[in-house]
């Protein structure tokens, strides 16, 4: 009986140790939707897991929600695209450090009929002003995502409060980028989207990029391991390993290599060590 008891205790201890090890080898990334919808994670994560054995589980939501989730300790890494909000996250003690990871840009898409006549403009404030003046339909995510935060900032720079026309020419979907594009195309509205999602989007119909090339449409992504000082459950070693790999030469090369329809979607720009 004593031998059986000892064996049982040893087996239980081994099971606990194995469970702890498995936990250490699995992390949750609270992420913006564009990196998921574009297929980037489907390409990157197998490369990372093959190298490290660490499994990455992605929760893809709008940037605002991703930040709130991370503040609630529901993740190990934050990967989003709203730099001022990311810096506040770190300053509040929720993030270890924020590192630039990659960038692309935003574009404004619209129907070929182009009711506000903004096609070919490279000044996004001029384009938004013309859309507002014409009362042309504009579909906004309205969901506190990184894209929505950027759109709100651009409207403010234009001197227009589109929410005054909410439900009229300004339509807030409260949805993700793909759903907002589908809704916008369905109603013939202009939509601001990140370029990666647009390239990957299948339901373009008669829509095309109307406004692009303004430096104000720059779209920076950052990566932040969640601080175990605020969230003791964080798998910090695995989280830091993931962040370090993404910003390493190997991870940056993998990001640059990912293409859809022979078009590069993200451009790595992590600081070189």
């Amino acid at each position: 009986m004593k031998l059986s008891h000892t064996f049982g205790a040893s087996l239980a201890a081994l099971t606990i140790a194995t469970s702890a090890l498995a936990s250490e080898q699995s992390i949750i990334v609270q992420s913006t939707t564009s990196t998921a919808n574009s297929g980037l994670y489907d390409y990157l994560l197998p490369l990372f897991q093959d190298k490290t054995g660490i499994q990455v589980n992605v929760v893809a939501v709008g940037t605002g929600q991703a930040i709130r989730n991370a503040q609630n300790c529901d993740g190990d890494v934050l990967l989003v695209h709203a730099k001022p909000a990311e810096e506040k996250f770190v300053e509040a003690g929720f993030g270890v450090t924020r590192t630039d990871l990659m960038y692309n840009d935003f574009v404004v898409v619209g129907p070929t009929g182009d009711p506000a006549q903004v096609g070919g403009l490279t000044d996004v404030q001029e384009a938004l002003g013309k859309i507002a003046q014409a009362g042309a339909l504009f579909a906004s995510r309205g969901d506190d995502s990184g894209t929505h935060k950027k759109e709100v900032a651009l409207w403010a720079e234009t001197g227009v409060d589109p929410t005054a026309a909410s439900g009229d020419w300004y339509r807030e979907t409260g949805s993700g980028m793909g759903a907002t594009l589908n809704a916008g195309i369905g109603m013939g509205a202009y939509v601001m989207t990140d370029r990666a999602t647009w390239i990957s989007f299948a339901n373009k119909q008669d829509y095309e990029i109307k406004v692009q090339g303004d430096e104000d449409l720059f779209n920076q992504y950052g990566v932040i391991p969640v601080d175990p000082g605020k969230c003791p459950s964080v798998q910090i070693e695995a989280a830091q390993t993931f962040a370090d790999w993404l910003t390493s030469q190997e991870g940056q090369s993998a990001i640059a290599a990912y293409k859809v329809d022979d078009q590069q979607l993200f451009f790595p720009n992590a600081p070189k060590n």
Side-chain angles (χ1 to χ4, degrees):
M1 293 295 293
K2 186 179 292 186
L3 179 61
S4 175
H5 175 76
T6 302
F7 177 76
S10 298
L11 182 60
L14 179 60
T15 300
I16 292 170
T18 302
S19 297
L21 181 62
S23 175
E24 290 171 0
Q25 295 302 306
S26 176
I27 60 173
I28 295 173
V29 175
Q30 289 289 341
S31 170
T32 179
T33 56
S34 57
T35 42
N37 292 344
S38 66
L40 179 67
Y41 289 132
D42 294 334
Y43 176 75
L44 287 183
L45 298 187
L47 300 176
F48 174 72
Q49 186 167 352
D50 286 348
K51 183 178 180 66
T52 66
I54 299 170
Q55 180 179 343
V56 179
N57 302 300
V58 176
V59 177
V61 290
T63 285
Q65 186 62 55
I67 291 173
R68 288 190 290 273
N69 290 349
Q71 287 174 333
N72 289 333
C73 302
D74 291 332
D76 304 288
V77 178
L78 182 65
L79 201 164
V80 290
H81 63 144
K83 192 169 182 176
E86 296 164 42
E87 290 173 338
K88 288 180 182 178
F89 178 83
V90 174
E91 289 168 6
F94 289 100
V96 176
T97 186
R98 180 201 171 280
T99 307
D100 282 345
L101 177 61
M102 59 192 183
Y103 69 92
N104 57 17
D105 64 342
F106 294 105
V107 297
V108 177
V109 300
T112 53
D114 196 14
Q117 297 298 294
V118 297
L121 292 180
T122 56
D123 183 327
V124 67
Q125 278 81 29
E126 180 185 356
L128 292 177
K130 291 185 73 171
I131 290 170
Q133 186 175 15
L137 291 177
F138 185 98
S140 168
R141 285 181 60 165
D143 64 349
D144 195 35
S145 60
T147 302
H148 180 233
K149 288 175 185 290
K150 182 66 173 181
E151 181 218 313
V152 169
L154 291 172
W155 281 114
E157 291 172 14
T158 305
V160 174
D161 177 12
T163 59
S166 181
D168 184 15
W169 60 265
Y170 188 71
R171 309 288 178 86
E172 296 154 292
T173 69
S175 302
M177 196 69 256
T180 299
L181 281 167
N182 276 323
I185 289 171
M187 67 178 80
Y190 293 97
V191 185
M192 193 181 93
T193 174
D194 64 283
R195 190 183 294 268
T197 298
W198 179 247
I199 290 172
S200 306
F201 188 67
N203 183 32
K204 292 184 174 72
Q205 297 189 30
D206 68 336
Y207 267 54
E208 59 192 12
I209 293 174
K210 294 299 184 183
V211 183
Q212 61 182 326
D214 191 322
E215 62 182 16
D216 280 349
L217 292 171
F218 181 76
N219 182 26
Q220 177 70 54
Y221 293 80
V223 60
I224 308 171
V226 177
D227 196 322
K230 286 280 190 180
C231 299
S233 62
V234 166
Q235 304 295 329
I236 188 58
E237 289 187 14
Q240 192 65 60
T241 297
F242 181 57
D244 289 346
W245 182 81
L246 287 173
T247 58
S248 70
Q249 183 175 347
E250 181 180 353
Q252 295 278 279
S253 296
I255 290 169
Y258 180 64
K259 296 182 179 181
V260 172
D261 293 335
D262 205 33
Q263 298 179 75
Q264 185 173 337
L265 272 62
F266 300 94
F267 297 83
N269 67 341
K272 291 182 170 57
N273 296 327

